[in-house]
Amino acid sequence: MTDLNRVVVTGLGAVSPLGHTAADYWANLKQGVCGIGPITLVPTPEELQQKVAAEVKGFDPLKHFEERQITTLDRVSQFAVVAAREAIAQAAITFDMPLSVRTATIIGTGVGGQTTLDDSYRRIYRENKTRVFPLTIPKLMVNAPASQISMHCGLRGPAFAVASACASATHAIGLAFQMVRSGAVDCAVTGGAEACITFGTMRAWEAMRVMAPDTARPFSKDRKGMVIGEGAAMLVLEPLQRAQARGATILGEIIGFGMSADAADLTAPDQGGMVRAIEGALADAGLAPQEIQYINAHGTGTAANDETETRALHSAFGAHAGKLAISSTKSMIGHALGAAGALEMVATVMAVREDMVPPTINYLGPDPACDLDYVPNAARAMRIDAALSNSFAFGGLNAVLAIRKCS
Amino acid sequence: MTDVTNDVIAIIAKKVRVDHPKIELTDRLVDLGLESLDAVEMIFDLEEKFDIQIPYNANSSRTEFDTVGEVVRAIEKLVAEKA
C-alpha cells in the first residue's frame, strides 16, 4: 500500500456515560469507573422492571446549542454534533472550500430519535393530544445525526446514516475508512450516536429478556445479560500524507475493515459470521493473527454473545488467542447500540496510542465457556502495535476494524 | 388434562414443529426444538394468556423450564398466586 492510501485518525470526540469529552471518557475507562446506574431519564422509572442503564449524566444541551436550535435536535443528534465538534477541534481542521465538498459525514445509529418518537406517542396515546410538535419527523429520522453534523460543521461531501443495530458505528467508520483510502474523499467525520433510554424502548428491551438486573459483567461467571447505554463518539479520518503535510497530530492508523452477515438467526450470535468478519479485517490489513495484541470485544455480557465470541477468537487466532488481551468496555459504559462501535473505536485508538488496555470491570471470576484473558477489573500497561475492535449486531451483521500505531 | 395444561401445550405447540396432540408433559423443550427466541415468545404468550408475570432471563434461566410439565407447574403456581 502506498502512503497515499494510508488512513489516519487525527481527531476524537465522545459524549459518554463516563464524561462529555473523549479525554474524560478515556481517563475514566483506564480507571475502571462504572457508568452504569439507576435510570433517571424515563419520567416513570418505577414502572420499569429494568432499573439500571448507562446514561450520559448531566448533559445540558444549552451549554452547546442555542435554545432555538434545540427544538430541531433530538438528544441523539445533540450527542452526535457535540462529539463531532470535539473531534474536528482536536484535528484542527477548517472545512472551507474545497475541503468541505471533499469531506464525508458517515454516521451510524441504531434507531434514530427515540426521545422524539416516544414523546410524540405519549402525547397522542396517553395524553390524548391531537397534535405533535411540527419538527417531529426531521428530529426522529435515522439520518438526523448525520444531517445535523453536516449542517453544524459545514461538511458538504457524501453524508448519510448507516444502520446495522449494534454494529452501525463500526460499519460507518469502516465505510469512511474505505472512502478515504480509495481517494473518493479527502477527509471523513465518522462515528455513531444513540440515545434510546425512553419508556417505550426500555419496555421493548425488557421484552427480549436479555437485560441484566444489576450490571454488565462481560465474559464473567454469573453474568446476567446486557445493560443499555447511550452516547456518541466521532473520529476524523484523513490520508496520512495530508495529515503530515499540515502537521497534524496523528492518533492512530486504521488499516483494515472486515464485514459479514450470518444469514442465520435473527438474534442468536453466530461463530462463523464473527470469524469471517475478524479474518476479513486481518486480511484487509495484511496482518497475521499473531501481530494483534489487543481486542476490544463486542462483549455484551449476555450468556450467548460472550461464549460465542470467545469461540470465534479461538477459531480466528488459534494458539495466539491465549496471548491476546481482550476487554469489553461495555462493562463500564453499557451497550450504546448504534454508538457502541464508535465509543469502542475511540477506546481502541487510545489503547494503542498509550499502550494501555482498559479493563473488563465487574468481573467475578472465570466462566468455563469464556477461557481467555479478559483483563479483569484493572487496566494493563502493555505494548500494543495493532488491535481489533469487534461489533456483532442483531440481525447477524458483523463488522471489525483493525488499527495500529502510526509509524 | 387440566385447562392450564391444555392451554400451555397449545402455546408451546405454536413455537415448535410438533403437533399439539403429540406433546407430552415429560417432553423436554429443547428436544421439541424450542430455541431461545421461541422461548421468549412462548413466555410472552403465556403471560398474555394468563395475565401473569413470569420471571425469566434468557441469560441465567435456561434450565428453569426444562420440560413441558415444569412450564405447566410454574404457570399453575403463578395463576394460583394471582387468585
Side-chain angles (χ1 to χ4, degrees):
Chain A
M1 199 184 287
T2 66
D3 275 1
L4 187 66
N5 295 332
R6 290 175 63 180
V7 179
V8 295
V9 180
T10 54
L12 299 174
V15 175
S16 80
L18 294 180
H20 303 171
T21 66
D24 285 350
Y25 165 59
W26 173 241
N28 283 314
L29 283 182
K30 282 190 291 186
Q31 294 295 316
V33 177
C34 189
I36 296 167
I39 294 175
T40 65
L41 290 168
V42 171
T44 50
E46 67 281 358
E47 291 179 30
L48 290 172
Q49 288 168 24
Q50 182 65 23
K51 300 298 182 193
V52 297
E55 298 181 343
V56 171
K57 290 164 279 288
F59 182 83
D60 178 6
L62 283 169
K63 275 192 188 158
H64 307 280
F65 304 99
E66 294 168 32
E67 199 161 354
R68 64 180 182 81
Q69 292 178 313
I70 293 170
T71 62
T72 70
L73 289 157
D74 184 272
R75 184 173 170 87
V76 70
S77 296
Q78 294 171 17
F79 290 168
V81 171
V82 171
R85 283 176 180 165
E86 184 194 359
I88 291 167
Q90 185 182 20
I93 295 182
T94 307
F95 289 103
D96 43 20
M97 289 303 205
L99 183 61
S100 169
V101 295
R102 296 280 303 156
T103 298
T105 310
I106 306 178
I107 309 300
T109 184
V111 288
Q114 289 296 294
T115 307
T116 301
L117 189 67
D118 212 62
D119 287 350
S120 64
Y121 285 173
R122 182 180 293 108
R123 280 175 69 89
I124 298 171
Y125 297 137
R126 185 175 269 194
E127 297 168 5
N128 292 320
K129 299 260 173 69
T130 52
R131 281 182 292 274
V132 299
F133 294 107
L135 295 178
T136 297
I137 293 294
K139 274 174 81 177
L140 67 78
M141 61 193 186
V142 80
N143 60 299
S147 298
Q148 293 287 356
I149 290 171
S150 108
M151 289 158 57
H152 282 262
C153 303
L155 313 179
R156 295 179 173 81
F160 50 90
V162 172
S164 54
C166 317
S168 302
T170 307
H171 274 111
I173 297 165
L175 271 179
F177 158 67
Q178 290 179 337
M179 289 186 78
V180 174
R181 182 169 66 176
S182 73
V185 293
D186 294 330
C187 184
V189 175
T190 183
E194 202 78 85
C196 69
I197 303 175
T198 68
F199 189 81
T201 313
M202 292 306 291
R203 261 290 140 80
W205 278 104
E206 285 176 4
M208 294 274 320
R209 309 270 184 165
V210 293
M211 309 282 280
D214 50 353
T215 195
R217 305 184 188 284
F219 301 107
S220 170
K221 72 174 182 184
D222 298 333
R223 65 186 179 279
K224 293 192 164 57
M226 54 183 278
V227 171
I228 296 294
E230 63 170 355
M234 298 295 157
L235 296 81
V236 173
L237 310 185
E238 59 187 306
L240 172 65
Q241 265 191 346
R242 193 181 177 285
Q244 284 174 331
R246 66 184 191 86
T249 303
I250 292 165
L251 305 172
E253 178 179 3
I254 302 185
I255 53 173
F257 179 44
M259 301 180 264
S260 70
D262 300 340
D265 194 90
L266 185 60
T267 58
D270 178 70
Q271 182 186 337
M274 290 177 176
V275 169
R276 283 185 291 116
I278 293 168
E279 291 179 344
L282 290 172
D284 192 36
L287 288 182
Q290 57 271 21
E291 292 180 271
I292 298 286
Q293 291 86 36
Y294 171 54
I295 309 269
N296 188 296
H298 188 55
T300 56
T302 65
N305 175 83
D306 298 356
E307 186 181 322
T308 311
E309 188 169 8
T310 298
R311 287 203 311 271
L313 290 170
H314 274 293
S315 171
F317 286 90
H320 185 64
K323 295 183 184 149
L324 293 167
I326 300 157
S327 68
S328 170
T329 38
K330 290 187 179 78
S331 60
M332 293 176 270
I333 58 166
H335 192 346
L337 308 166
L343 285 161
E344 288 158 20
M345 192 58 177
V346 168
T348 309
V349 169
M350 292 308 297
V352 174
R353 179 167 167 77
E354 293 191 1
D355 287 319
M356 177 67 71
V357 174
T360 304
I361 69 163
N362 302 321
Y363 188 85
L364 300 174
D367 166 359
C370 299
D371 57 357
L372 294 170
D373 175 3
Y374 305 105
V375 194
N377 298 325
R380 183 185 302 162
M382 58 176 271
R383 171 83 189 178
I384 309 171
D385 297 306
L388 298 184
S389 180
N390 288 346
S391 297
F392 307 126
F394 275 177
L397 311 183
N398 311 300
V400 176
L401 285 160
I403 99 149
R404 74 175 167 206
K405 275 192 175 56
C406 188
S407 50
Chain B
M1 195 181 280
T2 66
D3 286 350
V4 169
T5 304
N6 200 39
D7 288 341
V8 168
I9 292 180
I11 284 169
I12 293 171
K14 280 200 298 177
K15 304 295 172 201
V16 298
R17 293 208 180 104
V18 181
D19 292 339
H20 186 160
K22 292 190 185 147
I23 295 177
E24 305 283 347
L25 289 174
T26 51
D27 284 344
R28 297 183 68 221
L29 296 172
V30 62
D31 293 337
L32 293 171
L34 193 89
E35 292 173 7
S36 69
L37 204 57
D38 303 320
V40 171
E41 289 190 286
M42 173 192 81
I43 300 273
F44 174 79
D45 288 350
L46 292 167
E47 287 183 333
E48 290 280 286
K49 173 80 188 171
F50 297 104
D51 191 22
I52 51 174
Q53 290 233 8
I54 304 170
Y56 175 84
N57 181 326
N59 294 288
S60 55
S61 313
R62 283 179 164 181
T63 56
E64 206 168 286
F65 305 112
D66 192 37
T67 65
V68 175
E70 282 169 32
V71 177
V72 171
R73 280 192 295 281
I75 300 303
E76 284 174 340
K77 186 160 167 280
L78 286 165
V79 171
E81 281 169 7
K82 196 185 67 155

